[in-house]
Amino acid sequence: MLSKQWSEELPVAGIKKIHSMAGGDVNQAYRVETEEGPYFLLTQPHRSADFYQGEIAGLKAFEKAGITAPRVIGNGQIDGDAYLLITFLDQGSGSQSDLGRLVADMHQHYSPNGKFGFDEPSTGSDLTYDNAWCDTWRELFVDRRMDVLAAELLRKKLWGKKEEAQYQKVREVMNDRLTQHQSKPSLLHGDLWGGNHMFLKDGTPALFDPDALYGDREFDLGVSLVFNAFNDEFYQAYQEAYPLDSGYEERLKFYSLYLLMVHVNKFGSIYAAGANRTMNDILYNS
């Protein structure tokens, strides 16, 4: 339960009720009922307001690109906890084809400076990744994301020498393929699994909870494959709207591996077998 102070200090008028909702594994989430309608409130106990700067920057990038997503209402700290107040989107149902076209549209918005990265670091997981602007996708993805993640798995003893040796071989493949591939710095969702999209009452697809950056668009698609949350209609519509370059099937495995490694880091060995299979797939079936 939030204290009375929240109703008094949130930047909306006429609050009638605040009640808890499911909010994922990162935030505490609430529906804020007001005289003008509902809002969605995310909170982080004992954090400063800037905890949400990355998500805010992502949502504002979506808004600028015309991508259907929640809009930022307010951000700050109340009673020692960080908060982000956004518009409330009412759940409906819709077409995976429309969702595929929405993602393709998002990916056709490119970084303003022609570089890869973002103005804010990625802080949505247990690790923080440096998104400082750079000239190549290979550097941003391999050096500043995959290597950091692999080092953390070793530090936590979630990986041993065998997995480390396997990763180094995979790293050589990734470096080679990504050096050869002509990447463009597209606007990415950054965490495109099934829990971060929805359909509105009128069937319009929407994205939320971004971990945004400007990077190779195949990153989002490789992440989307891991939990089978998107069907063939999604990928067909995407391909028709914005066809992928040749060789994409191999490169998508790099990004599926990334998400599996993230889950090993977060949840432990239950995801280790999947990560190991994907590394073997990259090495021996490409």
Side-chain angles (χ1 to χ4, degrees):
M1 285 289 293
L2 295 177
S3 66
K4 184 180 178 182
Q5 186 175 349
W6 285 83
S7 295
E8 295 171 347
E9 296 188 20
L10 281 173
V12 286
I15 294 176
K16 298 187 290 185
K17 184 179 180 182
I18 302 176
H19 54 90
S20 180
M21 295 184 66
D25 60 355
V26 175
N27 297 290
Q28 296 178 5
Y30 302 86
R31 179 176 171 129
V32 180
E33 302 285 357
T34 77
E35 293 173 357
E36 296 181 349
Y39 295 88
F40 194 64
L41 174 67
L42 302 173
T43 71
Q44 272 288 321
H46 317 300
R47 295 273 196 166
S48 62
D50 62 6
F51 175 85
Y52 287 109
Q53 287 311 299
E55 184 166 353
I56 290 169
L59 290 173
K60 288 186 175 180
F62 284 5
E63 182 174 10
K64 186 175 181 180
I67 302 303
T68 304
R71 303 307 183 210
V72 176
I73 302 300
N75 164 239
Q77 188 184 55
I78 296 175
D79 200 18
D81 299 339
Y83 78 84
L84 173 61
L85 187 68
I86 57 180
T87 54
F88 192 92
L89 303 182
D90 283 314
Q91 182 86 36
S93 60
S95 160
Q96 288 259 319
S97 295
D98 289 342
L99 179 61
R101 285 186 283 268
L102 176 68
V103 173
D105 179 37
M106 175 178 66
H107 287 168
Q108 292 177 78
H109 290 82
Y110 304 105
S111 70
N113 57 16
K115 293 181 180 290
F116 298 88
F118 204 58
D119 287 334
E120 299 289 338
S122 292
T123 57
S125 69
D126 293 347
L127 284 175
T128 295
Y129 302 108
D130 175 14
N131 284 332
W133 299 102
C134 60
D135 292 327
T136 70
W137 171 243
R138 189 217 61 78
E139 177 186 348
L140 188 65
F141 177 67
V142 180
D143 296 353
R144 293 205 248 143
R145 190 160 290 217
M146 290 294 280
D147 285 354
V148 171
L149 186 50
E152 183 69 359
L153 295 179
L154 289 165
R155 186 189 71 81
K156 288 183 174 180
K157 302 190 185 319
L158 292 165
W159 270 8
K161 291 183 178 180
K162 178 182 177 182
E163 289 82 7
E164 180 183 16
Q166 191 85 321
Y167 172 73
Q168 290 303 323
K169 294 177 183 177
V170 168
R171 189 182 191 278
E172 291 180 10
V173 174
M174 293 190 298
N175 277 334
D176 178 66
R177 303 299 190 272
L178 295 181
T179 299
Q180 294 179 38
H181 179 52
Q182 296 297 312
S183 296
K184 291 182 179 180
S186 295
L187 176 60
L188 306 183
H189 181 282
D191 191 18
L192 192 65
W193 67 287
N196 287 341
H197 80 274
M198 64 182 293
F199 297 96
L200 307 186
K201 291 288 189 181
D202 65 358
T204 300
L207 302 174
F208 56 88
D209 200 14
D211 189 11
L213 69 156
Y214 288 96
D216 193 300
R217 61 196 177 107
E218 293 174 353
F219 178 90
D220 273 348
L221 298 177
V223 165
S224 76
L225 289 168
V226 174
F227 297 118
N228 300 312
F230 303 85
N231 65 25
D232 290 344
E233 292 179 5
F234 170 86
Y235 297 105
Q236 182 176 343
Y238 183 96
Q239 279 277 45
E240 290 172 355
Y242 193 9
L244 293 165
D245 296 332
S246 62
Y248 73 88
E249 296 95 340
E250 179 183 16
R251 294 186 298 271
L252 292 182
K253 297 174 187 177
F254 305 161
Y255 311 122
S256 295
L257 174 61
Y258 161 78
L259 188 65
L260 288 165
M261 288 169 61
V262 166
H263 278 69
V264 174
N265 184 50
K266 271 189 171 185
F267 305 112
S269 59
I270 187 172
Y271 290 99
N276 290 338
R277 280 195 302 271
T278 304
M279 286 197 286
N280 285 332
D281 196 20
I282 290 168
L283 292 174
Y284 304 117
N285 295 314
S286 297

